[in-house]
């Protein structure tokens, strides 16, 4: 049987630290949260590989540890901030965001994944699970200091951006196929600046697909 505690340590040391993840609270969170508890049943031994893990239909996936860690690091979460985890899946990203100090709304549109997240996050303080369409966000729980999107998007997530506080940050993987990049949006008043961070790959979220003929 795989030693999950050792696998977690190796993930932090050999994947995260070598991919410019140096934020201590982020590293500690990834070292403490049992990633194997958030994968589909029977896939626990694959929890710590450096690959995206499929969660179900409609392109739903759990980002590879390196990618997720860099994205969360880019959000620069401060304790007590409000975060929205879009496409939470079984709740791993929400658990990490909570561990670094955020008050988290975990948004999931798939009923089975939402049910799995409720089971896995039962008893964890500071996380509210909301079952609703991903593209609409959850304005009633906002505005948010930080928004994490767990999947690749092809169109500007305007509805989500509008739910940021002034100075709030949204991180996602944006673009098509091999042209996609992890991208950080920052709100300044009514304007939203965008900065590409690094090349990244994730399955596309159907809720954020570009219309036919759209060129990103």
């Amino acid at each position: 049987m795989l030693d999950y505690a050792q696998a977690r340590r190796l993930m932090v040391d050999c994947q995260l630290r070598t991919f410019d993840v140096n934020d201590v609270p982020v590293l500690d969170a990834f070292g403490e949260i049992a990633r194997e508890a958030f994968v589909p049943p029977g896939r626990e031994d694959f929890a710590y590989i450096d690959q995206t893990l499929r969660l179900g239909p409609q392109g739903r996936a759990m980002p590879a540890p390196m990618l997720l860690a860099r994205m969360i690091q880019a959000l620069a979460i401060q304790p007590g901030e409000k975060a929205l985890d879009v496409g939470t899946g079984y709740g791993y990203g929400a658990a990490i965001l909570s561990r670094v100090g955020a008050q988290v709304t975990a948004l999931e549109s798939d009923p089975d994944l939402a049910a799995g997240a409720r089971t896995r996050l039962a008893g964890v303080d500071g996380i509210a699970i909301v079952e609703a369409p991903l593209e609409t966000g959850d304005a009633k729980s906002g505005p948010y200091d930080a928004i994490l999107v767990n999947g690749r998007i092809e169109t500007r997530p305007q509805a989500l951006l509008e739910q940021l506080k002034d100075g709030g940050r949204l991180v996602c993987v944006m673009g098509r196929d091999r042209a996609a990049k992890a991208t950080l949006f920052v709100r300044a008043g009514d304007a939203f600046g965008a900065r590409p961070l690094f090349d990244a790959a994730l399955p596309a979220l159907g809720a954020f697909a570009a219309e036919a003929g759209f060129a990103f």
Side-chain angles (χ1 to χ4, degrees), residues 3-17 27 30-33 48:
D3 184 334
Y4 294 119
Q6 182 182 27
R8 219 161 22 251
R9 289 192 295 271
L10 289 172
M11 175 189 71
V12 170
D13 291 339
C14 300
Q15 296 182 41
L16 275 56
R17 292 183 187 275
L27 291 170
F30 275 82
E32 294 165 4
I33 300 293
Y48 295 97

Side-chain angles (χ1 to χ4, degrees), residues 13-209:
D13 291 339
C14 300
Q15 296 182 41
L16 275 56
R17 292 183 187 275
T18 61
F19 195 50
D20 296 328
V21 179
N22 50 34
D23 184 272
V24 173
V26 173
L27 291 170
D28 287 347
F30 275 82
E32 294 165 4
I33 300 293
R35 186 175 166 90
E36 69 274 9
F38 294 89
V39 302
R43 302 283 288 173
E44 291 84 0
D45 286 356
F46 298 92
Y48 295 97
I49 63 174
D50 178 25
Q51 291 182 16
T52 295
L53 292 179
R54 295 277 183 171
L55 294 179
Q58 302 176 349
R60 306 311 303 283
M62 186 178 187
M66 292 195 306
L67 173 56
L68 184 61
R70 279 285 295 274
M71 292 172 72
I72 291 176
Q73 178 173 265
L75 289 172
I77 299 288
Q78 299 300 310
E81 289 191 325
K82 295 178 69 174
L84 176 65
D85 187 41
V86 178
T88 196
Y90 287 135
Y92 181 67
I96 296 291
L97 290 168
S98 176
R99 188 59 62 92
V100 298
Q103 297 294 311
V104 184
T105 298
L107 180 65
E108 181 49 61
S109 59
D110 182 273
D112 291 335
L113 293 178
R118 291 189 188 96
T119 298
R120 290 161 173 81
L121 295 171
V124 180
D125 293 333
I127 301 177
I129 299 170
V130 174
E131 189 176 331
L134 304 185
E135 66 273 22
T136 61
D138 185 47
K140 65 180 181 295
S141 298
Y144 302 98
D145 299 282
I147 298 177
L148 170 69
V149 181
N150 293 275
R152 178 168 55 84
I153 68 177
E154 297 179 346
T155 59
R156 182 182 176 93
Q158 193 63 35
L160 299 181
L161 292 171
E162 295 289 348
Q163 294 172 31
L164 288 173
K165 294 180 181 179
D166 191 15
R169 296 86 60 198
L170 179 149
V171 69
C172 61
V173 173
M174 190 168 187
R176 284 188 169 179
D177 303 324
R178 295 183 181 180
K181 295 182 181 295
T183 302
L184 179 68
F185 289 87
V186 179
R187 182 168 193 168
D190 292 330
F192 301 92
R195 177 166 62 93
L197 302 175
F198 53 89
D199 294 340
L202 274 178
L205 290 173
F208 298 94

